[in-house]
Amino acid sequence: MKSITITLFPFLIVILAICFSFCDANSNVLCIESERKALLKFKNDLVDPSNRLSSWVEGGDCCKWLGVVCHNSTGHINQLHLAAPLSVPHFDAPVGEWEAYHRSKNNSPLGGKINPSLLELKHLSSLDLSNNNFSGIQIPKFFGLLKSLTYLNLSQARFQGAIPHNLGNLSKLQYLDLGCNQLEGVVSESHFSNLTRLTTLAASQNKLRFDPNSSWIPPFQCRIIKLGQWNLGPKFPRWLKFQKNLSVLDISDAGISDILPTWLLNSSTQFEYVNLSCNQLTGGISYLNVTEIVDLSSNQFTGPLPRVFPTLQILILSTNSFSGPLFEFVCNSLRKGPMRILAFETNLLSGEIPDCWDHWRGLGYLNLENNTLTGKIPPSLGHLNLSVLNLRRNGMSGEIPSTLQHSTRLIMLDLSDNHFNGSVPAWIGVKLSKLEILSLRSNNFDGHLPQKICQLQSLRILDLGHNGISGAIPKCFSNFSAMANKSNQQCYMFQWSSISTNFLFLSALLVLKGREDEYGATLGLVTSICLSTNRLIGEIPKEFGSLVAIRSLNLSGNLLIGNIPDEIGNMQLVESLDLSRNQLNGEIPPNFSKLNFLSHFNVSYNNLIGQIPTSTQLQSFESLSYVGNHLCGPPLTKNCTSKGISTDAANNGSNSEGSKVNWLYVSIVLGFVMGFWGVVAPLFFIRSWRHAYYRKLDNVYGKLYVFWATMGI
């Protein structure tokens, strides 16, 4: 036995040597010449602004080119990964992640035409052209001839036109993503005729219509289907019933107006993600058999809040007609679950918010806006690690509980349009240092503004309008450094998870430019302070002038006095400035003429005087912006004197006083003349009148004598 082993040993050495030499050859394999030429032709028709494909040169090994993957033994190209920049990070992501995202944006997308030379790549199994800019061209029909494709990603590449029918001939295709393009037209059953191996069908955010025969049974069994913004309605797609492996479903904004079928959410299939938002689905929902994400927003669902699967992380039920109290859902339905986002705004939920949030420690986003909730804010809400708390537009009351000072991750706190009272807590400025949006508008808050609120250096939006706040405006508002940094813009949106391309935008109801609007996707561009309709006194702090990045300042409807500070003119990005209904005096500062972005301006009903500064903006507003002052010059019809004073204001000086005295004298003289000629003169010139007058006096005197005698006078 031992001799046999020794005899075989040389053969083992030879075999190992052959194996190592073979493996070493594989590692140095070069790409196929014909395929290299095909790639160079493909490159020549592309537009590459940032020179991303600089490594694609004549004579080079194409297997080492950017985005090219070759088979490690044959050298055939089997993958092309030419996707453009990174996706948008979570709004609360680390700075490094945002910096990487912005750096990637410098790599401009590819554009131009797609050369059919790609047909030379007979072994190409994966093609990714996502996030590029092929605007103006259609998806090439020859893509349907790339028979080896198993993966095709053309999402967010701005392709136009219809989906080629022959894509349905890619019998090996497993992954197809055409989402977020400008595709339109009708999709027929033949588009899917041979896609028997398809497991992912993603084509959301296009203008496509698909209404197959009610008896149609798809040839595929997909795990992921995303057809958001297709026209699939009005009936709920029955063909989905045959997708037994389905775990991700997005048919949002699909024109469906039907009762939600019970077979969808009550089936044995357990979904990871379901998005049925922005349809007109009706009915009640008792249970959601979904493990991660549910979005049923903007439908017409009714009844109590549904029970949910214990591992659910994101639940969005906003803009429906769910009704009843929160107690059962909050206190019993999902204790100790991993829920991160609850969005129940704009429903018919009622009663008090229950005080049993201690086990919801993973919750970071809670939106209960625009319901009919009452009572106080429960103290246990302060035990959560919330980033967003929105209780706007309810009927809630009481003071802000001190436990909220433990919510140190809060970025947004919106308690507006309720009946909360008490003073604005000083701990907001000390403990909630990450706050960027603070809205306490339209409540019953009173007292003075605490100086410590100035410690909120990240604050971008402060709305305390329509309360009973008194005292002076703190000069330390200049510490709001986020409003002083012109390059400091924020992105208040984040992607739910890797299985969803949807984003959740923070929104805030703001009074800007004289009207109330809801800001969502553009909220990160807004910087504003609103202290309107309170009882603030004193002068406008000149320190406001350091907030050079502010877009809106509203101090209207207070008791402010003094001159408008010249420093306000430093706010050269301001678009809306409202100082109306105060007791301000002096002139409008001349440097207001440099406020070139103003689209709303109001200084009406003050005691301002002088000429309105000349600028493109200030003369574009209606006279209502200046009414109730002593101003002159365009756009007003009142002319100014040579000293730049309104003719009315000048008349209110010496000329005005003299005019008033002269008119007094004139009225006295006229009264005397009229009285004399109307009464006294006839007594002198007409005898009968004179005798009648004296007889009348005698009669009156007789009556008075009798009266006095009776009274004993």
Side-chain angles (χ1 to χ4, degrees):
M1 181 70 178
K2 186 175 181 179
S3 60
I4 296 175
T5 304
I6 294 173
T7 306
L8 292 176
F9 183 75
F11 294 100
L12 293 175
I13 295 295
V14 172
I15 293 172
L16 287 173
I18 294 173
C19 181
F20 280 125
S21 63
F22 179 75
C23 293
D24 184 62
N26 287 345
S27 64
N28 294 317
V29 67
L30 298 176
C31 74
I32 309 300
E33 177 65 19
S34 60
E35 295 184 357
R36 178 173 57 212
K37 290 181 178 180
L39 286 183
L40 290 174
K41 288 182 181 179
F42 171 66
K43 176 189 174 182
N44 288 338
D45 280 353
L46 293 177
V47 175
D48 184 10
S50 58
N51 203 21
R52 289 167 54 196
L53 304 183
S54 58
S55 61
W56 292 31
V57 293
E58 288 280 358
D61 181 5
C62 64
C63 292
K64 297 180 180 179
W65 291 353
L66 177 73
V68 179
V69 178
C70 297
H71 193 279
N72 60 3
S73 60
T74 65
H76 286 296
I77 297 171
N78 60 6
Q79 297 182 37
L80 273 183
H81 299 291
L82 299 178
L86 301 172
S87 58
V88 181
H90 185 285
F91 78 92
D92 197 22
V95 174
E97 191 171 336
W98 276 103
E99 290 177 347
Y101 166 68
H102 288 296
R103 282 196 304 270
S104 73
K105 289 170 67 177
N106 295 328
N107 293 328
S108 301
L110 299 173
K113 298 179 180 179
I114 300 177
N115 195 296
S117 62
L118 291 181
L119 288 174
E120 293 294 326
L121 310 181
K122 305 294 185 181
H123 300 271
L124 187 66
S125 62
S126 179
L127 177 60
D128 188 348
L129 298 177
S130 61
N131 299 317
N132 282 295
N133 183 13
F134 293 106
S135 179
I137 71 171
Q138 299 185 5
I139 297 174
K141 292 182 179 180
F142 73 80
F143 279 5
L145 302 176
L146 297 172
K147 299 295 185 179
S148 297
L149 277 184
T150 61
Y151 179 98
L152 178 59
N153 190 347
L154 306 179
S155 63
Q156 301 187 66
R158 300 189 180 183
F159 285 108
Q160 298 178 355
I163 299 177
H165 275 79
N166 63 351
L167 287 187
N169 296 329
L170 299 175
S171 57
K172 295 182 179 180
L173 197 63
Q174 300 175 24
Y175 182 101
L176 175 62
D177 192 346
L178 307 177
C180 303
N181 280 289
Q182 299 165 24
L183 304 175
E184 56 187 5
V186 177
V187 177
S188 66
E189 299 170 15
S190 62
H191 279 88
F192 307 106
S193 56
N194 293 314
L195 302 182
T196 56
R197 300 186 185 182
L198 197 65
T199 59
T200 296
L201 172 60
S204 294
Q205 299 184 45
N206 287 289
K207 297 179 180 180
L208 297 166
R209 187 176 182 279
F210 181 50
D211 187 15
N213 190 290
S214 59
S215 61
W216 182 65
I217 299 177
F220 48 77
Q221 284 290 330
C222 278
R223 194 184 74 83
I224 298 174
I225 292 179
K226 297 180 181 180
L227 304 179
Q229 297 186 20
W230 283 38
N231 185 352
L232 301 175
K235 294 295 184 180
F236 197 91
R238 186 176 178 274
W239 56 270
L240 289 173
K241 189 174 184 179
F242 303 101
Q243 299 300 295
K244 302 302 182 181
N245 300 326
L246 197 59
S247 63
V248 173
L249 175 63
D250 180 356
I251 51 173
S252 59
D253 195 12
I256 304 171
S257 54
D258 199 359
I259 299 176
L260 184 68
T262 56
W263 54 259
L264 180 69
L265 296 178
N266 293 338
S267 67
S268 58
T269 301
Q270 190 166 70
F271 290 94
E272 295 177 29
Y273 167 75
V274 171
N275 187 350
L276 307 179
S277 64
C278 300
N279 286 289
Q280 298 182 48
L281 293 166
T282 61
I285 302 173
S286 59
Y287 180 63
L288 293 171
N289 190 21
V290 185
T291 59
E292 293 188 30
I293 301 173
V294 173
D295 185 358
L296 305 181
S297 61
S298 300
N299 280 285
Q300 299 173 14
F301 293 118
T302 57
L305 294 172
R307 293 179 299 109
V308 297
F309 197 80
T311 62
L312 192 66
Q313 299 178 30
I314 296 173
L315 179 58
I316 302 178
L317 304 179
S318 53
T319 317
N320 279 284
S321 295
F322 289 106
S323 59
L326 283 166
F327 182 85
E328 180 64 27
F329 181 87
V330 174
C331 301
N332 297 326
S333 175
L334 200 64
R335 296 176 66 88
K336 298 183 180 181
M339 188 73 74
R340 296 189 290 115
I341 295 175
L342 278 182
F344 291 170
E345 69 268 25
T346 314
N347 277 282
L348 303 174
L349 302 175
S350 58
E352 298 186 1
I353 300 177
D355 192 16
C356 52
W357 295 88
D358 293 293
H359 300 292
W360 292 69
R361 295 302 174 93
L363 192 65
Y365 179 103
L366 178 59
N367 192 340
L368 299 175
E369 170 199 345
N370 198 21
N371 282 280
T372 57
L373 300 170
T374 57
K376 299 180 179 181
I377 298 175
S380 60
L381 271 183
H383 301 159
L384 306 180
N385 291 317
L386 290 173
S387 295
V388 175
L389 176 58
N390 189 346
L391 303 178
R392 183 195 343 166
R393 280 187 173 172
N394 280 285
M396 301 183 68
S397 57
E399 298 186 359
I400 300 177
S402 60
T403 54
L404 276 186
Q405 65 184 297
H406 303 303
S407 300
T408 56
R409 294 183 57 193
L410 269 177
I411 292 175
M412 176 180 181
L413 176 61
D414 191 343
L415 306 180
S416 58
D417 292 291
N418 280 282
H419 307 296
F420 294 116
N421 54 34
S423 59
V424 177
W427 51 257
I428 286 182
V430 179
K431 300 293 186 179
L432 307 185
S433 60
K434 293 186 178 181
L435 262 186
E436 299 185 21
I437 302 171
L438 174 60
S439 180
L440 306 180
R441 181 183 185 84
S442 297
N443 280 286
N444 300 317
F445 291 107
D446 54 23
H448 293 190
L449 284 175
Q451 293 283 330
K452 291 182 178 179
I453 200 172
C454 299
Q455 297 182 28
L456 297 174
Q457 296 186 12
S458 299
L459 198 65
R460 301 173 55 85
I461 296 173
L462 174 63
D463 192 345
L464 305 178
H466 289 262
N467 281 286
I469 299 171
S470 57
I473 301 174
K475 295 181 179 180
C476 58
F477 271 24
S478 58
N479 292 343
F480 295 147
S481 55
M483 301 186 193
N485 185 352
K486 292 182 179 180
S487 61
N488 183 18
Q489 295 183 352
Q490 185 57 281
C491 182
Y492 294 115
M493 68 177 183
F494 56 95
Q495 194 170 358
W496 295 346
S497 74
S498 58
I499 61 175
S500 168
T501 56
N502 295 70
F503 294 94
L504 180 65
F505 290 94
L506 298 191
S507 66
L509 197 66
L510 305 176
V511 179
L512 305 179
K513 303 181 181 180
R515 64 180 184 270
E516 187 177 66
D517 290 310
E518 186 155 5
Y519 289 76
T522 59
L523 184 62
L525 304 177
V526 178
T527 46
S528 70
I529 293 177
C530 180
L531 304 178
S532 68
T533 318
N534 280 286
R535 295 197 291 270
L536 297 169
I537 61 173
E539 298 185 349
I540 298 174
K542 65 180 181 180
E543 287 77 8
F544 270 127
S546 65
L547 305 181
V548 294
I550 199 168
R551 303 283 180 167
S552 175
L553 176 62
N554 189 344
L555 305 179
S556 65
N558 283 287
L559 304 171
L560 300 173
I561 61 173
N563 293 348
I564 300 174
D566 291 342
E567 288 79 2
I568 299 293
N570 296 335
M571 299 177 172
Q572 295 190 10
L573 295 181
V574 71
E575 300 174 18
S576 178
L577 179 59
D578 194 340
L579 307 177
S580 64
R581 295 180 290 115
N582 280 286
Q583 300 171 19
L584 303 172
N585 51 41
E587 299 182 347
I588 298 175
N591 62 356
F592 273 30
S593 61
K594 299 178 181 179
L595 301 180
N596 296 322
F597 293 96
L598 269 182
S599 59
H600 176 78
F601 181 65
N602 194 346
V603 291
S604 62
Y605 299 105
N606 281 285
N607 299 312
L608 300 173
I609 62 171
Q611 184 171 359
I612 298 170
T614 302
S615 75
T616 305
Q617 256 61 37
L618 295 179
Q619 272 65 51
S620 68
F621 301 112
E622 296 182 358
S623 58
L624 291 176
S625 295
Y626 304 99
V627 72
N629 292 285
H630 302 293
L631 297 167
C632 61
L636 302 180
T637 57
K638 297 177 184 177
N639 295 322
C640 299
T641 66
S642 59
K643 296 181 180 181
I645 303 174
S646 167
T647 52
D648 285 356
N651 289 337
N652 285 336
S654 59
N655 291 340
S656 177
E657 292 300 320
S659 175
K660 289 181 181 177
V661 174
N662 290 340
W663 280 110
L664 177 62
Y665 290 155
V666 170
S667 64
I668 292 173
V669 171
L670 286 174
F672 174 79
V673 171
M674 294 298 293
F676 179 84
W677 288 107
V679 178
V680 179
L683 299 179
F684 285 95
F685 295 103
I686 305 176
R687 181 180 297 178
S688 60
W689 281 32
R690 186 166 63 249
H691 290 169
Y693 178 73
Y694 288 137
R695 284 197 300 271
K696 183 67 175 177
L697 286 178
D698 287 339
N699 185 34
V700 171
Y701 176 78
K703 290 181 179 180
L704 288 173
Y705 179 80
V706 173
F707 175 74
W708 292 335
T710 304
M711 298 298 294
I713 300 176

